[in-house]
Amino acid sequence: MSAKKKLQGRVAIITGATSGIGRATAILFADEGAKVVAVGRRRQKGEELVDLITKKGGEVLYVAADVSKAADCKRVVNTTVENYGRLDILFNNAGVIHIGKITDTSEEDYDRVMDINVKGVYLASKYAIPEILKSEGGAIINTGSIYGNLGAASYTAYCASKGAVLNLTRAMAMEYPDRIRINCVSPGSVMTDMLDEEIKIWGGDQPEQQKAKFAAMQPIGRIAAPEEIAKVVLFLASDDASYITGASIDVDGGFSTQ
């Protein structure tokens, strides 16, 4: 007899689902029995994800949306309920990065980071929570960062945004402690499009050397794969984490312990 899938019968919205951690989590959630609503702005990537999950026998719906827009977040939740009848899990994963000292960061760049990384969590949660409360119980997982607790030169806007996500997670958890478990996963260096962007900025014409430098900075000696973060998100979304709320789990290969 096969083991029961951890998310069988549940419906999950995943933002930032067209690449990196979001994509890996969408695939894993579908493998574990969830009906997945994959949210992202890159339609081609979204359609490719749908094709992949569908061929594996999973259930998935792609919705193109910008999480910094209230109307888009409301539409995502409404579309989810219209198609699947309920909502159990929200993974607020959409995020962007900006590299630059505070004096070199334009107001436009700062607002973009805060709008997607923080306002996106607020808006998606605002519209998702009433539907999750209609279920027997649910979970929200927010993607933070080890830079939510640590300062880093030239990451001013990003650090500010992830610090806000961490404390927003704590506050939200205290508003619905007996109905919705709300937690934060805080990755370190993960091999995603975002890290590729950092490698290009810092590495110039020597990207492989820069990638090796990032790996060497981690006590564990390597950069994480998106799938490794997705497994922690699955844990927090599942009944295995039934007594965890308001927490942040560092998944950083030991970086923040240094």
Side-chain angles (χ1 to χ4, degrees), residues 45-162:
K45 293 289 186 180
E47 292 172 352
E48 289 171 359
L49 178 63
V50 168
D51 186 56
L52 174 62
I53 291 176
T54 302
K55 285 180 177 177
K56 295 178 68 179
E59 290 192 59
V60 61
L61 175 69
Y62 168 67
V63 180
D66 179 348
V67 297
S68 70
K69 307 297 183 185
D72 279 20
C73 289
K74 187 174 183 179
R75 176 170 53 83
V76 167
V77 173
N78 289 343
T79 300
T80 300
V81 175
E82 287 168 5
N83 280 270
Y84 295 128
R86 60 186 293 154
L87 176 60
D88 304 276
I89 299 162
L90 170 64
F91 179 29
N92 283 311
N93 173 70
V96 295
I97 197 167
H98 173 75
I99 296 176
K101 293 181 179 179
I102 191 166
T103 51
D104 299 323
T105 299
S106 69
E107 186 176 356
E108 180 182 22
D109 285 331
Y110 183 86
D111 286 346
R112 180 177 67 94
V113 172
M114 298 300 286
D115 280 352
I116 295 174
N117 293 6
V118 186
K119 188 179 178 183
V121 173
Y122 149 67
L123 287 173
S125 300
K126 174 182 174 70
Y127 294 109
I129 284 172
E131 295 300 332
I132 296 175
L133 288 172
K134 294 176 184 178
S135 301
E136 296 175 359
I140 295 175
I141 305 95
N142 300 325
T143 296
S145 167
I146 55 170
Y147 284 162
N149 276 323
L150 305 174
S154 296
Y155 287 81
T156 313
Y158 186 73
C159 288
S161 72
K162 292 304 182 179

Side-chain angles (χ1 to χ4, degrees), residues 2-18:
S2 60
K4 182 181 177 181
K5 295 183 176 182
K6 291 181 182 291
L7 301 180
Q8 191 67 50
R10 299 182 192 180
V11 177
I13 292 173
I14 300 175
T15 70
T18 55

Side-chain angles (χ1 to χ4, degrees), residues 226-239:
E227 290 76 13
E228 292 178 288
I229 315 303
K231 290 176 182 177
V232 180
V233 179
L234 172 63
F235 166 70
L236 291 172
S238 75
D239 293 339

